[in-house]
Amino acid sequence: MKKTTYRLLLPALLLASIAPAGASLVDVTNADQVTLDTNGSLLFYISEDLTSAGHGSIYPGEVEMILGAMPLGGPVASIPGTSSVYLPNILFNGTIESQNGEISIPLTDPDAGRLSLPAGDMLLTPGSIGGGSYSGPIDLLSAEVTLSPAEAAALFSSGEVVIDLYNAGAPITFGYPGSSIASDFTASLISPDGSQSAGGRVMQVQCVNTPEPPTIGLLIIGLTIMCTRLAAMRRSRRLAPVVCRRG
């Protein structure tokens, strides 16, 4: 019985070891630098604050965002119709979502649009920053979204929105030494008529890293081992009555 259990347990453990693990959700609000793997996301929880000027309840008509990273270096490619360049091995997809998840709208990166990329896709472009804890070259992820009154109300009625930045390219580290990732992210909330502008308060930042799934080759190896052991067990059972008679 112990041998049978062992034969079943070994392949089961092998398959379990190569099965994809669940995504990890980590609060990185106070972290100074955050490394985001391929297929990972950074979630910025933003509080709307256009009512502080005393004009009543006003939802933004436009949201602009920007996030910086230490320069990656490497090859760059030209953006058509501009003198700017981007890093071709980095690609993000960005959305702005209500906290309850009922509405999600893709962000717009004009540079990605010039490359005929779909809505929501975002490019990483070289830039620079001065002052604060770090001054020097950086890489920038930026986008914007224009909202109808109905969209803005649906997004901001619960108080906070979530800007979801999904990494579809190579791993990258955002933020600068000596300052929190929350302070390195900027969200500007602009009223529909453009008369008011306020910085969205970053309430929380979460990092979601999803492990790569196992390769087909590993799955085949695991299944092959399991099938081989099951076949051996069947043969042993067919031979068992002969052994018993000899005893």
Side-chain angles (χ1 to χ4, degrees):
M1 182 65 181
K2 290 183 179 179
K3 290 183 178 180
T4 299
T5 303
Y6 174 77
R7 288 169 179 170
L8 288 173
L9 184 60
L10 181 61
L13 289 174
L14 176 62
L15 289 178
S17 68
I18 62 176
S24 60
L25 181 62
V26 181
D27 189 324
V28 294
T29 308
N30 297 316
D32 59 351
Q33 292 183 287
V34 179
T35 298
L36 193 62
D37 295 335
T38 303
N39 298 324
S41 292
L42 275 179
L43 307 177
F44 292 87
Y45 293 79
I46 309 300
S47 175
E48 177 264 338
D49 192 22
L50 279 177
T51 61
S52 60
H55 296 285
S57 178
I58 300 175
Y59 293 126
E62 184 178 354
V63 178
E64 300 175 350
M65 62 127 291
I66 189 168
L67 176 62
M70 297 298 289
L72 290 176
V76 296
S78 299
I79 299 174
T82 74
S83 58
S84 302
V85 296
Y86 71 101
L87 282 74
N89 62 327
I90 301 292
L91 180 66
F92 272 76
N93 186 272
T95 57
I96 184 169
E97 306 169 358
S98 59
Q99 194 173 22
N100 58 15
E102 292 184 355
I103 180 173
S104 177
I105 301 172
L107 300 176
T108 299
D109 177 0
D111 288 334
R114 293 184 179 96
L115 292 172
S116 300
L117 295 175
D121 279 6
M122 304 166 62
L123 304 178
L124 193 71
T125 58
S128 62
I129 189 174
S133 63
Y134 171 78
S135 296
I138 59 173
D139 290 329
L140 295 171
L141 197 66
S142 61
E144 60 192 32
V145 61
T146 300
L147 305 172
S148 70
E151 290 173 334
L155 283 170
F156 287 93
S157 59
S158 61
E160 290 184 11
V161 298
V162 182
I163 294 181
D164 185 341
L165 304 178
Y166 171 79
N167 184 11
I172 180 174
T173 299
F174 285 106
Y176 321 117
S179 63
S180 69
I181 188 71
S183 64
D184 296 331
F185 176 88
T186 300
S188 298
L189 311 178
I190 304 169
S191 63
D193 62 2
S195 63
Q196 296 184 60
S197 178
R201 291 179 295 167
V202 180
M203 309 303 292
Q204 186 180 26
V205 186
Q206 292 180 327
C207 178
V208 185
N209 276 326
T210 305
E212 290 289 334
T215 64
I216 295 298
L218 287 176
L219 287 174
I220 291 175
I221 292 172
L223 290 173
T224 301
I225 293 174
M226 178 175 282
C227 292
T228 301
R229 293 191 176 277
L230 288 175
M233 289 174 61
R234 293 191 186 97
R235 289 195 298 269
S236 297
R237 288 174 181 174
R238 286 198 294 267
L239 292 174
V242 177
V243 174
C244 289
R245 289 192 187 103
R246 290 179 62 186

